[in-house]
Amino acid sequence: MDSKPIQFSLRSDNITQGKSRAPNRSMFYGMGYKETDFGKPMVGVANGHSTITPCNSGLQKLADAAVQGIEEAGGNPQIFGTPTISDGMAMGTEGMKYSLVSREVISDCIETCVQGQWMDGVVVVGGCDKNMPGGLMGMLRANVPAIYVYGGTILPGKWKGQDLNIVSVFEAVGQNAAGKMSDQELKDIEQHAIPGTGACGGMYTANTMSSAFEALGISLPYSSTMANTHDEKIKSAKESAKVLMEAIKKGIKPRDIVTRKAIENAVAVVMATGGSTNAVLHFLAIAHTAEVEWTIDDFERVRKRTPVLCNLKPSGPYLAVDLHNAGGIPQVMKVLLKAGLLHGDCVTISGKTIAQVLADVPDAPRADQDVIRPISDPMYKEGHLAILKGNLSPEGAVAKITGLKTPVMTGPARVFDDEQSGLQAILDGKVKPGDVMVLRYLGPKGGPGMPEMLAPTSALIGAGLGETVGLITDGRFSGGTWGMVVGHVAPEAAAGGNIALIQEGDSLTIDAHQLLLQLNVSDAELAKRRAAWKAPAPRYTRGVQAKFAFNASSASTGAVLDNY
């Protein structure tokens, strides 16, 4: 599908021509349009505003600014809504299984509205985790000129002189359960962690994807690390709309921007900033939608050549607002570009190349800050998102390997067929140092919807077990997760992957040095277990979850629904 970005009167099949088109025009007259408006570009504003979550409750002002920018640049804005699911609010509940599903729903909404209403371009405004990949996938499907406006990050909460964020609360639950924090202290952290609007403040999934979109060139420079509550965010949204209007004139489309080299740039920035494991899943899906050749092994290729430059949460002390004040994503990109680790010739939505966009950015980060390291003194010499393979994950699994003293362990399996029983075992003190927890039947089909395991991983951190207990799952992790954890195990348990055959007490090995994820059981024993294994009945038989479970591809190919 390749819709041509031309004037509304032509893209809408000559809607202004002839008497047969009068009913079409009449509908627009009913909304206050004048005859002269039909010669202007009709530009969609996909508005993710909602009062469901702080991530999205501050988006209306950005959508309004985009509308103003379109009007001032000579276009007709057409506003439509997109839904969102709050990962932070849904975490640990059945609702979390709708998070990844919402990525597909959002992309469907944007494709449907842009194509159904013959739009010449679209501004997508979103805040929470799945708003970004869902938005870009919809933009790529419609393939009319498009720009992404990120809703912005949240400012840190404050309590007893310490900065707080959403992960602070999850970790406090673990500390409380371990007797290291009082009920009142937990309540204080809970009530002070979220001070207002904006997406979760560390280099978690929302800020990871917004940073990657800036690196792709589908968002404006510096826009990915701005705070939602700051005026510069509104100005950036308005400017984004005006840049899009120029892109419509020039005919710059998303598939011109999202190329293989551009995805390499984005993944390099994800590695350099210590971004979320979810970037692996989402960029597999984005590449699939863009029809760009990209596999799970490409992440490992980029990882080996890209250092971690930023000292950001969850494993470091700094938040996205600190990164913004230190020079933002353009400073990170310029360091990588000077080191030969970015493709400077990739085009951006402005029509400029990456090299041209970064021309005036200093070659090295400022010496008065410690958020962005120079290339000569990185946090780690190689990236942090490793692809592990072995008899447990022949298609691959994803591990975040930085921040650990010893990213290698072998231990007995503690097997759980759902998240809640695993979490309860941690809170009850039944998980011991040296154990390797297995949380399974939580993949794209098995969950369904591949929920995130932030509650159990944060409980491990809070209980002081983050360095001594491993956790393996065919589900996902929040961008706020760190520790000896491996997710996206593929094939998943519900599809008959070997993770379904693990028994309590089996020896498991996680070895980030050798990129190995191994079940230390003989092939003969595995064959015996496989012969006795039966696929579980679907958890849902109707509705969106049933449709997702039936159509979802493996996590190793992005868990997309149209990989036919």
Side-chain angles (χ1 to χ4, degrees):
M1 183 194 318
D2 188 6
S3 303
K4 296 180 180 179
I6 52 184
Q7 283 198 334
F8 177 76
S9 59
L10 297 179
R11 178 165 161 76
S12 62
D13 193 21
N14 295 319
I15 195 171
T16 63
Q17 305 297 317
K19 295 179 181 179
S20 66
R21 297 302 179 186
N24 306 71
R25 295 197 303 269
S26 179
M27 300 292 283
F28 288 96
Y29 285 132
M31 294 189 294
Y33 281 65
K34 298 179 175 62
E35 188 170 359
T36 53
D37 287 328
F38 296 118
K40 300 176 182 179
M42 294 291 185
V43 183
V45 178
N47 184 5
H49 172 82
S50 75
T51 56
I52 290 173
T53 171
C55 308
N56 287 50
S57 61
L59 297 188
Q60 187 60 50
K61 61 188 177 185
L62 306 185
D64 292 341
V67 166
Q68 187 177 4
I70 292 166
E71 290 175 338
E72 290 180 5
N76 288 321
Q78 295 185 317
I79 305 170
F80 61 94
T82 61
T84 194
I85 296 296
S86 170
D87 290 25
M89 291 176 170
M91 202 72 67
T93 73
E94 193 73 6
M96 187 64 217
K97 296 178 181 180
Y98 287 85
S99 169
L100 186 58
V101 173
S102 76
R103 184 188 74 181
E104 305 304 313
V105 175
I106 292 165
S107 59
D108 288 350
C109 284
I110 292 169
E111 178 191 5
T112 299
C113 288
V114 171
Q115 296 296 76
Q117 296 302 133
W118 311 290
M119 294 175 186
D120 296 297
V122 62
V123 179
V124 179
V125 184
C128 203
D129 292 6
K130 306 310 171 294
N131 295 183
M132 265 74 73
L136 181 53
M137 289 162 67
M139 291 155 65
L140 286 163
R141 290 183 197 169
N143 203 33
V144 299
I147 193 167
Y148 201 96
V149 173
Y150 177 47
T153 187
I154 198 169
L155 295 172
K158 300 287 185 180
W159 180 71
K160 290 187 175 181
Q162 295 183 348
D163 285 351
L164 298 177
N165 62 88
I166 186 61
V167 177
S168 305
V169 183
F170 282 94
E171 293 182 357
V173 170
Q175 290 177 291
N176 177 260
K180 300 178 181 180
M181 178 179 289
S182 69
D183 290 348
Q184 184 59 48
E185 287 176 308
L186 172 59
K187 186 175 182 179
D188 288 338
I189 290 175
E190 177 189 18
Q191 293 179 344
H192 291 87
I194 307 299
T197 57
C200 299
M203 192 48 68
Y204 310 144
T205 302
N207 287 325
T208 295
M209 296 308 296
S210 70
S211 298
F213 281 15
E214 187 176 324
L216 278 175
I218 205 76
S219 295
L220 293 191
Y222 298 100
S223 65
S224 67
T225 52
M226 293 175 178
N228 174 262
T229 54
H230 289 172
D231 289 343
E232 65 177 348
K233 191 72 234 181
I234 298 174
K235 295 176 182 177
S236 179
K238 184 177 180 180
E239 179 62 21
S240 296
K242 292 185 175 183
V243 169
L244 174 63
M245 291 297 293
E246 289 299 312
I248 292 172
K249 295 176 184 177
K250 296 173 183 175
I252 302 173
K253 303 185 292 293
R255 294 196 187 192
D256 299 325
I257 297 169
V258 183
T259 63
R260 180 175 172 84
K261 291 201 295 185
I263 291 176
E264 284 191 359
N265 284 351
V267 172
V269 167
V270 170
M271 296 294 178
T273 55
S276 167
T277 54
N278 281 310
V280 176
L281 188 78
H282 295 325
F283 269 102
L284 287 167
I286 288 165
H288 167 78
T289 308
E291 297 183 274
V292 170
E293 183 181 347
W294 188 266
T295 72
I296 196 168
D297 295 322
D298 286 312
F299 292 94
E300 187 60 31
R301 177 174 56 82
V302 176
R303 181 189 76 83
K304 289 180 178 178
R305 73 183 191 210
T306 309
V308 179
L309 298 176
C310 298
N311 194 13
L312 299 167
K313 286 184 179 294
S315 57
Y318 296 114
L319 296 168
V321 288
D322 301 311
L323 174 60
H324 190 64
N325 293 332
I329 294 302
Q331 183 62 82
V332 177
M333 293 179 68
K334 188 59 175 286
V335 173
L336 294 174
L337 182 67
K338 287 293 292 182
L341 298 174
L342 283 190
H343 300 286
D345 58 342
C346 290
V347 70
T348 69
I349 187 63
S350 68
K352 296 180 180 179
T353 65
I354 290 292
Q356 290 171 330
V357 168
L358 300 176
D360 295 331
V361 177
D363 290 347
R366 299 195 320 267
D368 65 346
Q369 56 80 45
D370 188 43
V371 183
I372 307 172
R373 297 286 190 90
I375 197 75
S376 59
D377 184 29
M379 294 291 299
Y380 305 95
K381 293 181 179 180
E382 294 182 342
H384 63 302
L385 299 180
I387 306 302
L388 274 54
K389 293 189 175 183
N391 69 352
L392 259 185
S393 57
E395 293 180 11
V398 184
K400 186 184 287 188
I401 62 175
T402 52
L404 297 173
K405 296 174 183 176
T406 309
V408 177
M409 74 175 298
T410 295
R414 301 294 314 283
V415 182
F416 305 92
D417 288 347
D418 59 77
E419 176 187 4
Q420 286 71 29
S421 59
L423 173 62
Q424 196 60 51
I426 298 168
L427 297 178
D428 291 343
K430 295 179 180 179
V431 176
K432 305 299 182 183
D435 287 345
V436 180
M437 297 184 69
V438 177
L439 275 61
R440 64 189 181 188
Y441 294 104
L442 295 165
K445 293 181 177 296
M450 207 179 176
E452 294 178 351
M453 301 293 106
L454 180 60
T457 58
S458 295
L460 288 173
I461 298 296
L465 298 172
E467 294 276 0
T468 58
V469 170
L471 191 149
I472 298 170
T473 182
D474 50 8
R476 296 183 294 128
F477 294 119
S478 162
T481 292
W482 70 276
M484 186 61 114
V485 297
V486 183
H488 307 203
V489 172
E492 62 174 291
N498 283 346
I499 189 172
L501 308 181
I502 301 172
Q503 295 182 0
E504 188 82 7
D506 281 348
S507 173
L508 299 175
T509 295
I510 305 171
D511 190 332
H513 293 320
Q514 298 187 58
L515 303 178
L516 180 67
L517 186 63
Q518 190 76 12
L519 169 58
N520 301 311
V521 171
S522 70
D523 291 343
E525 174 62 20
L526 285 179
K528 180 180 177 182
R529 295 180 187 181
R530 179 166 299 286
W533 178 80
K534 292 182 179 180
R539 296 180 189 270
Y540 291 84
T541 57
R542 291 289 186 275
V544 67
Q545 286 283 11
K547 288 187 287 186
F548 188 92
F550 182 81
N551 288 290
S553 72
S554 169
S556 64
T557 55
V560 295
L561 303 188
D562 59 352
N563 191 12
Y564 304 123

